[in-house]
């Protein structure tokens, strides 16, 4: 019980000490009625019960949301690969390949749901009142005022091949991420596709003879694959107001790269700086920066890079001179807990809750081992590992976002059943302990990439914050650095609330006889109460936890050390109110990706771009301010 069983072929290591992990003194009732069992009949110990006050999402909705969850590489591939619609999506790049052969081995219900998703996309595109928000705002007399730059989130930028080696020539100028070419490559030449999509494990840059680059322009981000819009609604409405390619710009990037390598390989931040300077020079107005999801982390990193002598050398007043407003949409400012499970075991809720047929099909294409390897070989995605440690995410006894009457704290992040015949850690893991375990058991190259590029700590004093301005590893973390010294900058935080979001997990070791090199896997056999296939849900937008999207906006940036220039921060929370029969949720969705099509979000963006953002008022409907006040991060005089 004192360690984790090692798989054959993997170098043996001792189980890492876990001084940050504490046992809980909490005891549940010992009455027989409170002793649940898992689906395989094994009992769940009373101390292992978890209670979360949330309505469980229905199974069909879970499947239809799989392809747009954070970093859901395998979900996107499975959905896009199996989707079939003769009158909506063609497969010109797949040639003579027959989809019918694939559907023959799938359960009818699974195939039907995927077809409905694609057909629903077609109906939505035809019925959605395109351009309406832009026309409405324009009818009020508003027009183009500030140039606008959009920074997309993770996975939403297409990646195309520019390699000319023998293995790359068939893919030249074809998208190996974000098109049907990706599906074809995965289906017919999976190993070659993996070689292209994964970065060099030691350098974090291009592998030998392979060259993938981010697509550029609006086409890079408006659609993921044919019919699946991402930024398209925002671009449509901006065009209705009067924007075009001369005064708006999409700052697409290769989201696989660690942030320092975005500059080293692609000169991304230098090009972004030059474009913003040129836009301000030509338009005579400061620019509005709109970022989404991981793009908000990129924008925050850029604010530090552009001012620093170790980066763009623009000086502390560069942001003040060039940026009118930063619109932070669903920004994962403190990471996402599901990123831990993605790189730890190649899993998240979407895979844990698939039925046995779907799991079999998915494992045939990308096993858990392959998924974990791919995620780790994309160091940019590890920028979303949770920041703030136990101060934000809680310890084994309590967490800021625990619900009244909850028997096991969310702070108990990775849980293990102790009455099973598995070799498991002796204690449950907090987020801090899980991060230490991940980095200790992962390959050296992965640990070096993460520790050399990012930091997940907390700076508790102004002196620490000021010192961190000279440490590029800290620039991604708003709990260790400050906002720009730009007193006239305006920050708008728009994010969704009210959609169950992964918060904690039950884990076990793989089955006996498994060939997996992974040490642990989600305990998908455990379904009881609020534990659904080993996954425990909390609050958020379906992908990013509420503590991540909301803490800095509602409390962190109210602290002097994190906001010394007293930059104004406006917060608007958007409740998730999806239309029942709309696969993308409709005009009032607050899903992490689909929020980009939400009507009032589009209207807010246009009003800010038109110079009328001051009229937008705070609207906080969740308990985030209560949760934030319980985080163990304080003003210095406290």
């Amino acid at each position: 019980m004192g360690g984790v069983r090692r798989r054959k072929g993997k170098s043996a290591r001792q189980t890492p000490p876990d001084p940050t992990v504490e046992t809980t003194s909490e005891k549940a009732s010992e009455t027989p009625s409170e002793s649940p069992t898992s689906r395989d009949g094994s009992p769940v110990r009373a101390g292992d019960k978890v209670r979360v006050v949330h309505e469980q999402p229905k199974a069909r909705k879970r499947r239809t949301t799989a392809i747009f969850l954070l970093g859901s590489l395998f979900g996107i591939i499975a959905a896009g690969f199996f989707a079939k619609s003769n009158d909506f999506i063609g497969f010109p790049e797949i040639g003579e390949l027959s989809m019918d052969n694939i559907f023959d081995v799938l359960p009818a219900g699974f195939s039907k749901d995927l077809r409905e998703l694609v057909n629903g996309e077609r109906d939505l595109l035809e019925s959605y009142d395109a351009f309406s928000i832009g026309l409405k705002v324009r009818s009020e007399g508003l027009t183009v005022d500030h140039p606008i730059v959009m920074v997309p989130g993770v996975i939403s930028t297409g990646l195309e091949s520019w390699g000319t080696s023998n293995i790359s020539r068939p893919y030249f100028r074809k998208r190996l991420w974000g098109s049907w070419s990706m599906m074809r490559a995965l289906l017919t030449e999976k190993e070659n596709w993996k070689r292209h999509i994964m970065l060099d494990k030691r350098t974090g840059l291009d592998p030998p003879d392979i060259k993938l680059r981010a697509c550029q322009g609006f086409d890079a981000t408006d659609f993921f694959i044919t019919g699946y819009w991402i930024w398209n609604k925002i671009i449509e409405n901006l065009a209705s107001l009067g924007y075009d390619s001369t005064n708006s710009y999409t700052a697409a990037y290769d989201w696989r790269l660690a942030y320092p390598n975005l500059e080293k390989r692609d000169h991304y931040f230098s090009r972004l700086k030059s474009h913003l300077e040129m836009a301000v020079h030509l338009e005579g107005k400061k620019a509005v920066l709109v970022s989404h999801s991981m793009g908000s982390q990129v924008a925050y990193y850029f604010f530090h890079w552009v001012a620093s002598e170790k980066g763009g050398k623009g000086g502390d007043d560069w942001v003040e001179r060039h940026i009118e407003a930063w619109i932070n949409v669903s920004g994962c400012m403190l990471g996402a807990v599901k990123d831990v499970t993605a790189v730890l075991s190649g899993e998240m809720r979407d895979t844990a809750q698939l039925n046995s047929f779907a799991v079999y099909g998915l494992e045939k294409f990308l096993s858990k081992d392959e998924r974990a390897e791919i995620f780790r070989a994309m160091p940019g995605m590890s920028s979303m590992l949770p920041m703030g440690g136990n101060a934000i995410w809680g310890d084994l006894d309590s967490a800021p976002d625990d619900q009244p009457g909850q028997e096991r704290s969310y702070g108990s992040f990775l849980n293990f059943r102790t009455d099973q015949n598995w070799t498991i850690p002796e204690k449950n893991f907090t987020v801090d302990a899980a991060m230490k375990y991940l980095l200790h058991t992962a390959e050296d190259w992965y640990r070096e990439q993460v520790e050399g590029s990012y930091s997940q700590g907390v700076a508790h004093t102004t002196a620490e914050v000021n010192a961190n301005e000279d440490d590029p590893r800290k620039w991604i973390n708003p709990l260790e650095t400050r906002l720009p010294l730009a007193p006239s900058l305006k920050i708008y935080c728009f994010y969704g609330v009210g959609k169950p979001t992964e918060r904690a997990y039950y884990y076990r070791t793989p089955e006996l006889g498994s060939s997996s090199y992974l040490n642990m896997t989600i305990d998908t056999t455990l379904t009881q109460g609020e534990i659904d296939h080993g996954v425990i849900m909390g609050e958020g937008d379906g992908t990013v936890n509420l503590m991540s999207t909301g803490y800095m906006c509602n409390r962190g940036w109210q602290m002097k050390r994190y906001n010394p220039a007293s930059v104004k921060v406006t917060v608007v929370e958007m409740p998730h109110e999806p239309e029942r029969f709309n696969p993308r949720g409709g005009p009032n969705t607050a899903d992490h990706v689909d929020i980009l099509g939400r009507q009032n979000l589009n209207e807010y963006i246009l009003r800010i771009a038109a110079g009328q953002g001051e009229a937008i008022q705070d609207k906080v409907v969740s308990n985030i301010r209560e949760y934030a006040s319980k985080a163990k991060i304080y003003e210095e005089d406290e």
Side-chain angles (χ1 to χ4, degrees), residues 529-560:
E530 272 61 358
I531 309 171
D532 188 354
H533 293 79
V535 182
I536 303 164
M537 307 301 285
E539 296 179 72
D541 64 8
T543 295
V544 180
N545 311 92
L546 180 59
M547 286 296 289
S548 179
T549 54
Y551 177 81
M552 294 308 300
C553 299
N554 288 279
R555 181 168 174 83
W557 287 329
Q558 309 304 318
M559 297 184 185
K560 190 65 176 178

Side-chain angles (χ1 to χ4, degrees), residues 42-90:
S42 57
V44 180
R45 295 176 69 90
D48 288 326
K49 285 192 66 184
V50 176
R51 179 171 180 266
V52 182
V53 185
H54 280 297
E55 180 181 354
Q56 291 297 307
K58 295 183 179 180
R60 182 171 181 268
K61 181 62 178 175
R62 287 198 296 265
R63 286 195 294 270
T64 60
T65 59
I67 65 174
F68 38 79
L69 289 172
L70 169 66
S72 182
L73 171 64
F74 30 90
I76 296 171
I77 291 170
F81 175 74
F82 293 126
K84 178 182 178 183
S85 173
N86 295 331
D87 58 346
F88 175 46
I89 295 178

Side-chain angles (χ1 to χ4, degrees), residues 178-372:
S179 75
W180 295 115
S181 295
M182 173 183 73
M183 311 304 179
R184 180 190 180 192
L186 175 65
L187 179 67
T188 61
E189 298 179 293
K190 183 180 77 170
E191 292 303 319
N192 198 20
W193 178 83
K194 285 174 55 181
R195 289 180 62 186
H196 280 76
I197 205 70
M198 294 166 60
L199 294 169
D200 185 275
K201 294 176 179 178
R202 290 294 175 185
T203 67
L205 299 169
D206 295 320
D209 300 323
I210 290 173
K211 188 176 184 180
L212 255 62
R213 293 295 181 266
C215 302
Q216 298 301 314
F218 298 112
D219 287 345
T221 60
D222 57 349
F223 289 89
F224 177 70
I225 54 176
T226 307
Y228 189 88
W229 52 264
I230 306 274
W231 283 80
N232 178 257
K233 302 301 175 186
I234 292 175
I235 294 172
E236 284 180 349
N237 286 306
L238 285 171
S240 300
L241 189 62
Y243 282 92
D244 55 35
S245 58
T246 64
N247 51 16
S248 59
Y249 170 68
T250 300
Y253 56 93
D254 187 340
W255 41 268
R256 302 173 304 156
L257 290 169
Y259 293 1
N261 284 338
L262 278 173
E263 178 63 22
K264 180 178 180 179
R265 195 197 74 177
D266 295 348
H267 310 294
Y268 174 78
F269 296 112
S270 292
R271 290 187 293 111
L272 179 56
K273 175 176 180 279
S274 296
H275 184 90
L276 285 164
E277 290 173 340
M278 182 63 70
V280 172
H281 173 72
L282 294 177
E283 302 295 330
K285 289 273 192 174
K286 292 192 289 186
V288 169
L289 195 63
V290 187
S291 59
H292 173 247
S293 187
M294 177 181 173
S296 293
Q297 289 187 325
V298 173
Y300 187 80
Y301 185 96
F302 171 73
F303 291 152
H304 297 281
W305 178 92
V306 74
S308 175
E309 287 298 312
K310 294 183 177 180
K313 300 180 174 60
D316 285 337
D317 65 342
W318 190 94
V319 173
E320 174 71 13
R321 291 183 287 114
H322 295 88
I323 306 295
E324 171 71 17
W326 172 31
I327 304 175
N328 168 21
V329 181
S330 303
C332 50
M333 302 312 302
L334 299 183
V337 298
K338 70 186 299 179
D339 206 46
V340 176
T341 63
V343 296
L344 177 64
S345 60
E347 300 173 285
M348 52 190 73
R349 180 186 63 159
D350 301 82
T351 54
Q353 294 175 342
L354 290 174
N355 61 45
S356 57
F357 288 101
V359 169
Y360 173 79
L362 179 57
E363 291 289 319
K364 295 292 286 185
F365 292 106
L366 288 172
S367 67
K368 283 193 286 283
D369 296 64
E370 289 177 306
R371 299 194 302 262

Side-chain angles (χ1 to χ4, degrees), residues 342-470:
V343 296
L344 177 64
S345 60
E347 300 173 285
M348 52 190 73
R349 180 186 63 159
D350 301 82
T351 54
Q353 294 175 342
L354 290 174
N355 61 45
S356 57
F357 288 101
V359 169
Y360 173 79
L362 179 57
E363 291 289 319
K364 295 292 286 185
F365 292 106
L366 288 172
S367 67
K368 283 193 286 283
D369 296 64
E370 289 177 306
R371 299 194 302 262
E373 180 187 22
I374 290 172
F375 284 135
R376 295 181 190 189
M378 297 174 172
M381 295 190 65
S382 291
S383 69
M384 291 176 289
L385 290 169
M387 289 171 261
N390 293 3
I392 289 291
W393 303 103
D395 53 35
L396 294 180
D397 295 321
S398 65
D401 52 337
D402 281 345
Q403 302 298 305
Q406 195 167 309
E407 295 183 44
R408 172 65 59 83
S409 172
Y410 284 140
S412 188
F413 175 52
L414 299 186
N415 301 279
F416 307 95
R417 288 191 281 167
T418 58
D419 57 348
Q420 305 299 305
N421 294 322
W422 296 320
T423 303
I424 60 173
E426 291 181 336
K427 304 173 184 177
N428 294 338
F429 285 173
T430 62
V431 164
D432 268 346
M435 288 291 296
K436 291 180 180 180
Y437 178 84
L438 168 65
L439 295 177
H440 182 88
T441 58
E443 302 87 342
D444 290 342
W445 57 266
Y446 176 72
R447 181 173 61 254
E448 292 167 1
Q449 287 285 341
V450 172
E451 294 180 340
S453 301
Y454 311 121
S455 176
Q456 292 89 25
V458 178
H460 293 282
T461 67
T462 300
E464 291 177 82
V465 169
N466 291 338
N468 288 341
E469 292 302 311
D470 291 325

Side-chain angles (χ1 to χ4, degrees), residues 561-614:
R561 68 177 179 272
Y562 297 136
N563 187 4
S566 299
V567 175
K568 182 182 178 183
V569 180
T570 300
V571 183
V572 178
E573 293 187 335
M574 301 181 177
H576 184 53
E577 300 170 341
E579 291 182 350
R580 184 174 180 183
F581 299 108
N582 193 318
R584 299 293 297 274
N588 294 312
T589 181
D591 175 86
H592 183 68
V593 172
D594 294 343
I595 196 173
L596 293 174
R598 185 181 176 109
Q599 287 187 346
N600 66 336
L601 172 68
N602 275 250
E603 183 172 344
Y604 289 148
I605 291 173
L606 266 60
R607 292 190 181 279
I608 295 167
Q612 300 296 316
E614 293 290 347

